[in-house]
Amino acid sequence: MRKKPPPSPAPAPAARAAARAVPEWLNSPLWSASTPSAAPDPYGADLSPPPPPPPKPPPPPSYEQAVGSSRRVEEEEDEEEAGGGAALRAHLLADFKLALSKKLVNMGELRRLACLGVPDGGAGVRPLVWKLLLGYLPTERAFWPHELEKKRSQYSAYKDEFLLNPSEKIRRFEELKLLRKKELNTDNIGLLPRSKVTNEEHPLSFGKSSLWNQYFQESEILEQIDRDVKRTHPEMPFFSAKTNQESLRRILIIFSKLNPTIRYVQGMNEVLAPLFYVFKNDPDPSNSASAEADTFFCFVELLSGFKDNYCKHLDNSEVGIRSTLSKLSQLLKRHDEELWRHMEITTKVYPQYYAFRWITLLLTMEFSFNVCIHIWDAILGDPEGPPDTLLRICCAMLILVRRRLLAGDFTANIQLLQHYPSTNIDHLLHIANRLRGSVAS
Amino acid sequence: MVLVLALGDLHVPHRASDLPAKFKSMLVPGKIQHIICTGNLCIKEVHDYLKSLCPDLHITRGEYDEDARYPETKTLTIGQFKLGLCHGHQVVPWGDLDSLAMLQRQLDVDILVTGHTHQFKAYKHEGGVVINPGSATGAYSSVTYDVNPSFVLMDIDGLRVVVYVYELIDGEVKVDKIDFKKTATMHA
């Protein structure tokens, strides 16, 4: 990426400046979020001689070429009228449809297309693409109906098992055992018959195995889920609809019961929202009707890569959120040491102040909803997998505003990063792409 | 699934000092949605304690209650059921099921909860069900000294009620349950 000049005994100003210099392509005004200012770069990148061209990282050639070529085409067309852009989108949509119509979907091809982003007007395409990328649907088309059927009925079983309150559960249990042969609906007048309560199965019980006790202990989590669901994207009418809120609630409750180690963590509702939105708005009515079941499994799949970030006990371990944040730090250091030094050492803006939300919420709160869905196309589509891709995008977000960060102090930088400015997403994803290579551990 | 606690005739401090410890340990806030109390608490402290268990508290006046503002009878609707509440000393003969049935028809309720006799009873007649939660402290009644502390917790779920009866017998809490369903004929 960037070669350091050989250390000299008495570092001359030029050499020192060269050590802090930044690769040519990073300084191009095309990548900067803010308008290029008239003032010269205070860190002397303009003054030092350009460092030797960095060796390119070795990506799979076909991928890089394909992305590179598309990008170049898009850049040229940026100057032309919007008509050119529309043609490109239509072409991309056709490519998607072609890839999806094959009997055996080529995942490599699909991932390549996904990283370009599903174009607008692809409402029917995106749910299918995401389901394939998350491994919910197998690659052989022929197996789709069977798989969907299996998964959706499994979700129904989960609903029955986890969503009943103790009254209903006990009633079902008794009905199953036909205990109440003696019809309660008797018109007999007289003292009502009493039956013994077994296993401490009464509402005030503190017994470990009591359904009631478990119910009341979980009620706190249920309340938290309830509150968060009601607060999800209040500006969007889609999420104010009671039925949709109920669906989100059910998915989160079942997830929390199936995953006792992480239960429910605030913010999972935000990660769930785009998935559900995309699947529910599938133009195919049968898919839309089963959106809840599909979303559940895709949510599980998506979170599986990030699970360790949510587990409190793993916070300080090698796999928890702190370690992820330090990976981000290392990534920044590898690709832009100057910025890293300024952030971590000079202004002490550590990743936990801004990147915590970026990572645990998968960037859903940093960009507008539609932009976020576009970024998720890339996160889900990238062959490196969502966790690594997310880190690269976070790093790219920092690099994109490097000029402002370098000029800012602690307060200004925190302000900037916690309210990330809207940017050109294609540029952002392009930079993230250029940071490819193994994520430093 | 609505949990309703029915209790009464505590007679604190005149005849008993407090609820039995085993009952108190079970009654924690946050589980119960409504409390209906037949009366004879008798002092404000008991009222405050019940209020701490659940904010939705309904009380009717017993003959020894110090707060004269409680009503003689009360009706409320919980889910599909109409409940009526009355202390029961007004209904003579005390504890007579036919007379209570008359009161029930007057109040036009599915379930009538009364006390005064300090004896648990759950009785069904054409007009509905009468439940007497007994005395929660085991205080002696006008009729007998032999009283086991008891109270009732109703789980109202749609058209079905499961009544859990908690009694303190020989120092141990015994729980029984009674099931009944509301039918169309129960209410003329």
Side-chain angles (χ1 to χ4, degrees):
Chain A
M1 275 254 79
R2 182 168 55 83
K3 270 213 290 228
K4 284 211 172 76
S8 47
R16 206 186 309 130
R20 278 185 287 133
V22 149
E24 265 267 302
W25 62 270
L26 271 182
N27 255 337
S28 161
L30 211 51
W31 309 138
S32 165
S34 56
T35 51
S37 55
D41 190 299
Y43 280 76
D46 291 332
L47 308 170
S48 66
K56 260 189 157 185
S62 58
Y63 185 104
E64 177 67 25
Q65 275 170 358
V67 174
S69 64
S70 288
R71 288 278 161 253
R72 261 177 262 128
V73 168
E74 271 194 297
E75 283 157 27
E76 284 160 31
E77 295 201 343
D78 265 343
E79 277 99 61
E80 296 174 40
E81 350 75 70
L88 181 68
R89 277 198 298 275
H91 186 71
L92 196 54
L93 198 53
D95 277 345
F96 266 107
K97 293 209 169 127
L98 180 63
L100 292 170
S101 63
K102 299 233 170 67
K103 277 221 200 104
L104 182 70
V105 176
N106 182 342
M107 286 310 287
E109 169 71 12
L110 190 65
R111 287 188 183 280
R112 175 188 81 79
L113 287 171
C115 288
L116 299 176
V118 175
D120 300 328
V125 167
R126 185 173 269 127
L128 199 47
V129 170
W130 282 17
K131 285 177 191 170
L132 281 163
L133 291 175
L134 283 166
Y136 181 56
L137 287 173
T139 45
E140 293 102 9
R141 264 192 104 84
F143 292 161
W144 287 1
H146 170 76
E147 270 300 309
L148 287 174
E149 181 57 45
K150 194 168 78 159
K151 291 272 167 64
R152 286 165 184 175
S153 63
Q154 184 171 31
Y155 184 72
S156 287
Y158 284 151
K159 277 205 284 195
D160 282 340
E161 192 183 332
F162 293 120
L163 290 180
L164 296 178
N165 59 39
S167 294
E168 290 163 346
K169 270 196 208 160
I170 293 176
R171 186 181 359 169
R172 280 228 186 157
F173 179 70
E174 283 176 0
E175 275 166 13
L176 237 51
K177 294 184 76 175
L178 297 171
L179 275 179
R180 298 183 300 121
K181 283 237 187 86
K182 195 171 170 201
E183 182 49 66
L184 347 143
N185 199 6
T186 149
D187 284 328
N188 296 344
I189 308 292
L191 286 176
L192 287 169
R194 294 159 64 146
S195 52
K196 204 126 183 35
V197 158
T198 51
N199 292 341
E200 287 203 28
E201 208 42 275
H202 59 89
L204 300 177
S205 155
F206 288 118
K208 285 252 160 18
S209 61
S210 157
L211 289 174
W212 291 94
N213 196 17
Q214 289 168 0
Y215 173 78
F216 285 119
Q217 282 178 341
E218 288 164 351
S219 66
E220 205 187 297
I221 299 177
L222 264 67
E223 270 172 33
Q224 179 70 287
I225 292 179
D226 217 15
R227 273 189 294 235
D228 283 349
V229 161
K230 295 204 169 97
R231 296 196 280 218
T232 314
H233 291 291
E235 75 281 1
M236 295 179 65
F238 177 83
F239 288 107
S240 309
K242 276 271 173 278
T243 45
N244 293 337
Q245 281 186 353
E246 283 297 308
S247 293
L248 289 179
R249 226 181 115 253
R250 283 193 290 259
I251 294 174
L252 290 169
I253 291 176
I254 295 177
F255 182 83
S256 77
K257 298 212 175 164
L258 282 172
N259 294 278
T261 41
I262 52 176
R263 294 278 178 174
Y264 173 73
V265 175
Q266 261 194 305
M268 282 183 181
N269 60 316
E270 299 289 344
V271 175
L272 183 58
L275 274 175
F276 185 64
Y277 181 85
V278 165
F279 291 159
K280 189 82 186 172
N281 287 325
D282 193 333
D284 179 340
S286 72
N287 280 341
S288 176
S290 315
E292 192 181 321
D294 295 342
T295 312
F296 173 74
F297 289 105
C298 290
F299 178 64
V300 169
E301 190 52 49
L302 177 60
L303 235 54
S304 63
F306 296 97
K307 244 186 186 171
D308 295 332
N309 286 338
Y310 295 102
C311 185
K312 260 186 128 65
H313 300 295
L314 293 174
D315 267 356
N316 291 324
S317 78
E318 278 181 12
V319 291
I321 184 69
R322 271 193 207 278
S323 129
T324 312
L325 290 170
S326 69
K327 272 195 209 156
L328 175 62
S329 212
Q330 293 302 313
L331 193 60
L332 180 65
K333 181 174 179 191
R334 214 154 66 87
H335 292 289
D336 191 348
E337 175 145 2
E338 183 189 0
L339 181 60
W340 176 82
R341 203 172 290 282
H342 178 76
M343 299 277 285
E344 300 251 337
I345 305 195
T346 319
T347 54
K348 300 208 194 314
V349 177
Y350 298 121
Q352 48 258 44
Y353 297 139
Y354 55 87
F356 188 86
R357 197 171 73 166
W358 292 3
I359 293 175
T360 50
L361 269 64
L362 273 75
L363 299 173
T364 48
M365 293 217 97
E366 313 311 316
F367 302 99
S368 74
F369 197 74
N370 287 319
V371 167
C372 182
I373 291 188
H374 187 109
I375 295 185
W376 276 36
D377 281 337
I379 292 183
L380 296 176
D382 200 293
E384 275 192 7
D388 290 342
T389 314
L390 181 63
L391 282 181
R392 275 192 288 112
I393 295 183
C394 291
C395 192
M397 280 165 76
L398 293 170
I399 293 178
L400 203 50
V401 288
R402 69 186 306 276
R403 238 173 252 235
R404 289 166 73 171
L405 286 174
L406 288 171
D409 65 345
F410 178 83
T411 324
N413 286 351
I414 293 275
Q415 265 286 81
L416 177 65
L417 293 173
Q418 287 183 346
H419 303 90
Y420 196 79
S422 61
T423 65
N424 184 325
I425 294 306
D426 292 326
H427 289 162
L428 178 67
L429 292 175
H430 181 96
I431 297 185
N433 203 27
R434 297 288 284 263
L435 301 177
R436 206 171 282 280
S438 70
V439 175
S441 53
Chain B
M1 188 192 82
V2 180
L3 292 179
V4 183
L5 176 66
L7 77 172
D9 289 316
L10 295 103
H11 287 279
V12 173
H14 310 119
R15 303 186 192 175
S17 56
D18 204 355
L19 285 163
K22 295 206 169 165
F23 279 179
K24 270 197 124 156
S25 66
M26 282 200 294
L27 292 172
V28 294
K31 296 188 179 181
I32 301 168
Q33 273 89 53
H34 307 273
I35 299 186
I36 51 183
C37 185
T38 53
N40 274 346
L41 298 178
C42 305
I43 49 179
K44 186 170 181 305
E45 277 75 356
V46 180
H47 178 110
D48 293 339
Y49 166 72
L50 292 178
K51 197 90 178 168
S52 75
L53 287 183
C54 164
D56 192 36
L57 176 58
H58 304 271
I59 310 183
T60 47
R61 186 151 194 273
E63 74 270 46
Y64 291 103
D65 270 314
E66 297 200 350
D67 189 340
R69 291 169 302 171
Y70 299 139
E72 294 289 320
T73 62
K74 206 164 196 195
T75 55
L76 57 151
T77 308
I78 294 177
Q80 303 281 346
F81 286 85
K82 288 205 259 188
L83 286 91
L85 189 59
C86 176
H87 178 249
H89 68 274
Q90 307 94 329
V91 179
V92 177
W94 292 338
D96 178 50
L97 292 162
D98 290 326
S99 311
L100 289 172
M102 269 205 306
L103 175 63
Q104 181 157 12
R105 275 188 282 270
Q106 254 185 318
L107 293 174
D108 190 28
V109 290
D110 301 311
I111 303 174
L112 176 67
V113 180
T114 59
H116 189 58
T117 62
H118 298 209
Q119 296 288 333
F120 167 79
K121 244 197 192 56
Y123 184 86
K124 186 175 192 304
H125 60 89
E126 311 96 14
V129 169
V130 176
I131 295 181
N132 186 329
S135 163
T137 51
Y140 60 85
S141 75
S142 323
V143 173
T144 174
Y145 273 97
D146 183 17
V147 176
N148 281 323
S150 66
F151 67 87
V152 155
L153 187 64
M154 291 190 276
D155 174 15
I156 299 181
D157 189 24
L159 288 173
R160 186 170 170 263
V161 175
V162 180
V163 177
Y164 292 92
V165 185
Y166 294 80
E167 284 167 312
L168 192 67
I169 301 176
D170 298 328
E172 283 306 315
V173 176
K174 297 230 161 43
V175 189
D176 285 339
K177 69 177 181 169
I178 298 171
D179 254 317
F180 64 89
K181 254 203 314 221
K182 173 173 172 172
T183 57
T185 58
M186 247 168 91
H187 228 67

Coordinates of all heavy atoms in Angstrom, one line a residue, chain A residues 50-92:
Chain A
P50 N 6.1 13.3 -4.0 CA 5.2 12.2 -4.0 C 5.9 10.9 -3.7 O 7.0 10.7 -4.3 CB 4.5 12.2 -5.3 CG 5.4 13.0 -6.2 CD 6.1 14.0 -5.4
P51 N 5.5 10.1 -2.8 CA 6.2 8.8 -2.5 C 6.1 7.9 -3.7 O 5.2 8.1 -4.6 CB 5.4 8.3 -1.3 CG 4.1 8.9 -1.4 CD 4.2 10.2 -2.1
P52 N 6.9 6.9 -3.8 CA 6.9 6.0 -4.9 C 5.5 5.3 -4.9 O 4.8 5.2 -3.9 CB 7.9 4.9 -4.6 CG 8.4 5.2 -3.2 CD 8.0 6.6 -2.8
P53 N 5.0 5.0 -6.1 CA 3.6 4.5 -6.2 C 3.5 3.2 -5.4 O 4.3 2.4 -5.4 CB 3.5 4.2 -7.7 CG 4.9 4.2 -8.3 CD 5.7 5.0 -7.4
P54 N 2.4 3.2 -4.6 CA 2.3 2.0 -3.7 C 2.0 0.8 -4.5 O 1.3 0.8 -5.5 CB 1.1 2.4 -2.8 CG 0.3 3.4 -3.7 CD 1.3 4.1 -4.6
P55 N 2.5 -0.4 -4.0 CA 2.1 -1.6 -4.7 C 0.7 -2.0 -4.4 O 0.2 -1.8 -3.3 CB 3.0 -2.7 -4.0 CG 3.4 -2.1 -2.7 CD 3.3 -0.6 -2.8
K56 N 0.0 -2.4 -5.5 CA -1.4 -2.7 -5.3 C -1.6 -4.0 -4.5 O -0.9 -4.9 -4.7 CB -2.1 -2.8 -6.7 CG -2.8 -1.6 -7.2 CD -3.5 -1.9 -8.5 CE -4.6 -0.9 -8.6 NZ -5.5 -1.2 -9.7
P57 N -2.6 -4.0 -3.7 CA -2.9 -5.3 -3.0 C -3.4 -6.3 -4.0 O -4.0 -5.9 -5.0 CB -4.1 -4.9 -2.0 CG -4.7 -3.7 -2.6 CD -3.6 -3.0 -3.4
P58 N -3.2 -7.6 -3.8 CA -3.6 -8.6 -4.9 C -5.0 -9.1 -4.7 O -5.2 -10.0 -3.9 CB -2.6 -9.7 -4.6 CG -2.2 -9.6 -3.2 CD -2.5 -8.2 -2.7
P59 N -6.0 -8.4 -5.3 CA -7.3 -8.9 -5.2 C -7.6 -9.9 -6.4 O -6.8 -9.9 -7.3 CB -8.2 -7.7 -5.4 CG -7.3 -6.8 -6.2 CD -5.9 -7.2 -6.1
P60 N -8.7 -10.6 -6.3 CA -9.0 -11.5 -7.5 C -9.2 -10.6 -8.7 O -10.0 -9.7 -8.7 CB -10.3 -12.1 -7.1 CG -10.8 -11.5 -5.8 CD -9.6 -10.8 -5.2
P61 N -8.4 -10.8 -9.7 CA -8.3 -9.8 -10.8 C -9.7 -9.5 -11.5 O -10.0 -8.4 -11.7 CB -7.4 -10.4 -11.8 CG -7.0 -11.8 -11.2 CD -7.5 -11.9 -9.9
S62 N -10.5 -10.5 -11.7 CA -11.7 -10.3 -12.4 C -12.6 -9.3 -11.6 O -13.2 -8.5 -12.2 CB -12.4 -11.6 -12.7 OG -12.7 -12.2 -11.4
Y63 N -12.7 -9.5 -10.3 CA -13.5 -8.7 -9.5 C -13.1 -7.2 -9.5 O -13.8 -6.3 -9.8 CB -13.4 -9.2 -8.0 CG -14.3 -8.5 -7.0 CD1 -15.5 -9.1 -6.6 CD2 -14.0 -7.2 -6.6 CE1 -16.3 -8.4 -5.7 CE2 -14.8 -6.6 -5.7 CZ -16.0 -7.2 -5.3 OH -16.8 -6.5 -4.4
E64 N -11.8 -7.0 -9.3 CA -11.2 -5.7 -9.2 C -11.4 -5.0 -10.6 O -11.9 -3.9 -10.7 CB -9.7 -5.7 -8.9 CG -9.0 -4.4 -8.9 CD -9.5 -3.5 -7.8 OE1 -10.0 -4.0 -6.8 OE2 -9.4 -2.3 -7.9
Q65 N -11.2 -5.7 -11.6 CA -11.3 -5.1 -13.0 C -12.7 -4.7 -13.2 O -13.0 -3.7 -13.6 CB -10.9 -6.2 -14.0 CG -9.4 -6.1 -14.3 CD -9.0 -7.3 -15.2 OE1 -9.9 -8.1 -15.6 NE2 -7.7 -7.4 -15.5
A66 N -13.6 -5.7 -12.9 CA -15.0 -5.4 -13.1 C -15.5 -4.2 -12.3 O -16.1 -3.3 -12.9 CB -15.9 -6.6 -12.7
V67 N -15.2 -4.1 -11.1 CA -15.6 -3.0 -10.3 C -14.9 -1.7 -10.8 O -15.6 -0.7 -10.9 CB -15.2 -3.2 -8.8 CG1 -15.5 -1.9 -8.0 CG2 -16.0 -4.4 -8.2
G68 N -13.6 -1.9 -11.1 CA -12.9 -0.7 -11.5 C -13.5 -0.1 -12.8 O -13.7 1.0 -13.0
S69 N -13.8 -1.0 -13.7 CA -14.3 -0.6 -15.0 C -15.6 0.1 -14.8 O -15.9 1.1 -15.4 CB -14.4 -1.7 -16.0 OG -15.3 -2.7 -15.5
S70 N -16.5 -0.5 -14.0 CA -17.8 0.1 -13.8 C -17.7 1.4 -13.3 O -18.4 2.4 -13.6 CB -18.7 -0.8 -12.9 OG -19.1 -1.9 -13.6
R71 N -16.8 1.5 -12.3 CA -16.7 2.8 -11.6 C -16.2 3.9 -12.6 O -16.7 5.0 -12.6 CB -15.6 2.7 -10.5 CG -16.1 2.0 -9.3 CD -16.9 2.8 -8.4 NE -17.7 1.9 -7.5 CZ -19.0 1.8 -7.6 NH1 -19.7 2.4 -8.5 NH2 -19.6 0.9 -6.8
R72 N -15.2 3.5 -13.4 CA -14.7 4.5 -14.3 C -15.9 5.0 -15.3 O -16.0 6.1 -15.5 CB -13.6 3.9 -15.2 CG -12.2 4.4 -14.6 CD -11.1 3.7 -15.3 NE -10.6 2.6 -14.6 CZ -10.4 1.4 -15.2 NH1 -10.7 1.2 -16.5 NH2 -10.0 0.4 -14.5
V73 N -16.6 4.0 -15.7 CA -17.8 4.4 -16.6 C -18.7 5.3 -15.8 O -19.1 6.3 -16.4 CB -18.5 3.1 -16.9 CG1 -19.9 3.4 -17.6 CG2 -17.7 2.2 -17.9
E74 N -18.9 5.0 -14.5 CA -19.9 5.9 -13.8 C -19.3 7.3 -13.6 O -20.0 8.2 -13.7 CB -20.2 5.3 -12.4 CG -21.3 4.3 -12.5 CD -21.8 4.0 -11.1 OE1 -21.0 3.4 -10.3 OE2 -22.9 4.3 -10.8
E75 N -18.0 7.3 -13.4 CA -17.4 8.7 -13.2 C -17.5 9.5 -14.5 O -17.9 10.7 -14.4 CB -15.9 8.5 -12.9 CG -15.6 8.1 -11.5 CD -14.3 7.5 -11.3 OE1 -13.4 7.8 -12.1 OE2 -14.1 6.7 -10.4
E76 N -17.3 8.9 -15.6 CA -17.4 9.6 -16.8 C -18.8 10.1 -17.0 O -19.1 11.2 -17.4 CB -17.0 8.8 -18.1 CG -15.5 8.5 -18.2 CD -15.2 7.3 -19.1 OE1 -16.0 7.0 -20.0 OE2 -14.2 6.7 -18.8
E77 N -19.7 9.2 -16.7 CA -21.1 9.6 -16.9 C -21.6 10.6 -15.9 O -22.7 11.2 -16.1 CB -22.0 8.3 -16.8 CG -21.7 7.4 -18.0 CD -22.8 6.5 -18.2 OE1 -23.7 6.3 -17.4 OE2 -22.8 5.9 -19.3
D78 N -20.9 10.8 -14.8 CA -21.3 11.8 -13.8 C -21.4 13.2 -14.5 O -22.2 14.0 -14.1 CB -20.3 11.9 -12.7 CG -20.7 11.0 -11.5 OD1 -21.9 10.6 -11.5 OD2 -19.9 10.7 -10.6
E79 N -20.4 13.4 -15.4 CA -20.4 14.7 -16.1 C -21.6 14.8 -17.1 O -22.0 15.8 -17.4 CB -19.1 15.0 -16.7 CG -18.0 15.5 -15.7 CD -17.1 14.4 -15.3 OE1 -16.4 13.8 -16.1 OE2 -17.1 14.1 -14.1
E80 N -21.9 13.6 -17.6 CA -23.0 13.7 -18.7 C -24.3 13.9 -18.0 O -24.5 13.9 -16.8 CB -23.0 12.4 -19.5 CG -21.7 12.2 -20.3 CD -21.7 10.8 -20.9 OE1 -22.8 10.4 -21.4 OE2 -20.7 10.1 -20.9
E81 N -25.4 13.9 -18.9 CA -26.7 14.2 -18.3 C -27.2 12.9 -17.6 O -26.6 11.8 -17.8 CB -27.8 14.5 -19.3 CG -27.3 14.9 -20.7 CD -26.9 13.6 -21.5 OE1 -27.8 12.8 -21.8 OE2 -25.7 13.4 -21.7
A82 N -28.2 13.0 -16.8 CA -28.7 11.9 -16.0 C -29.2 10.8 -16.8 O -29.3 9.7 -16.4 CB -29.9 12.4 -15.1
G83 N -29.5 11.1 -18.1 CA -30.0 10.0 -19.0 C -29.0 8.9 -19.1 O -29.4 7.7 -19.1
G84 N -27.7 9.2 -19.1 CA -26.7 8.2 -19.2 C -26.7 7.3 -17.9 O -26.6 6.1 -18.0
G85 N -27.0 7.9 -16.7 CA -27.0 7.1 -15.5 C -28.2 6.1 -15.5 O -28.1 5.0 -15.1
A86 N -29.3 6.6 -16.1 CA -30.5 5.7 -16.1 C -30.2 4.5 -17.0 O -30.7 3.4 -16.6 CB -31.7 6.5 -16.6
A87 N -29.5 4.7 -18.1 CA -29.2 3.6 -18.9 C -28.4 2.6 -18.2 O -28.6 1.4 -18.3 CB -28.5 4.1 -20.2
L88 N -27.4 3.1 -17.4 CA -26.5 2.2 -16.7 C -27.4 1.4 -15.7 O -27.2 0.2 -15.5 CB -25.5 3.0 -15.9 CG -24.5 2.1 -15.1 CD1 -23.6 1.3 -16.1 CD2 -23.6 3.0 -14.3
R89 N -28.3 2.1 -15.0 CA -29.1 1.4 -14.0 C -30.0 0.3 -14.6 O -30.1 -0.8 -14.1 CB -30.1 2.4 -13.3 CG -29.4 3.2 -12.2 CD -30.5 3.7 -11.3 NE -31.3 4.7 -12.0 CZ -31.0 6.0 -12.2 NH1 -29.9 6.5 -11.7 NH2 -31.8 6.8 -12.8
A90 N -30.5 0.6 -15.8 CA -31.4 -0.4 -16.5 C -30.5 -1.6 -16.9 O -30.9 -2.7 -16.7 CB -32.0 0.2 -17.7
H91 N -29.3 -1.3 -17.3 CA -28.4 -2.4 -17.7 C -28.1 -3.2 -16.5 O -28.1 -4.5 -16.5 CB -27.1 -1.7 -18.3 CG -26.2 -2.7 -18.8 ND1 -26.4 -3.4 -20.0 CD2 -25.0 -3.2 -18.4 CE1 -25.4 -4.2 -20.2 NE2 -24.5 -4.1 -19.3
L92 N -27.8 -2.6 -15.3 CA -27.5 -3.3 -14.1 C -28.6 -4.2 -13.7 O -28.5 -5.3 -13.3 CB -27.1 -2.3 -13.0 CG -26.4 -2.8 -11.8 CD1 -25.1 -3.5 -12.2 CD2 -26.0 -1.6 -10.9

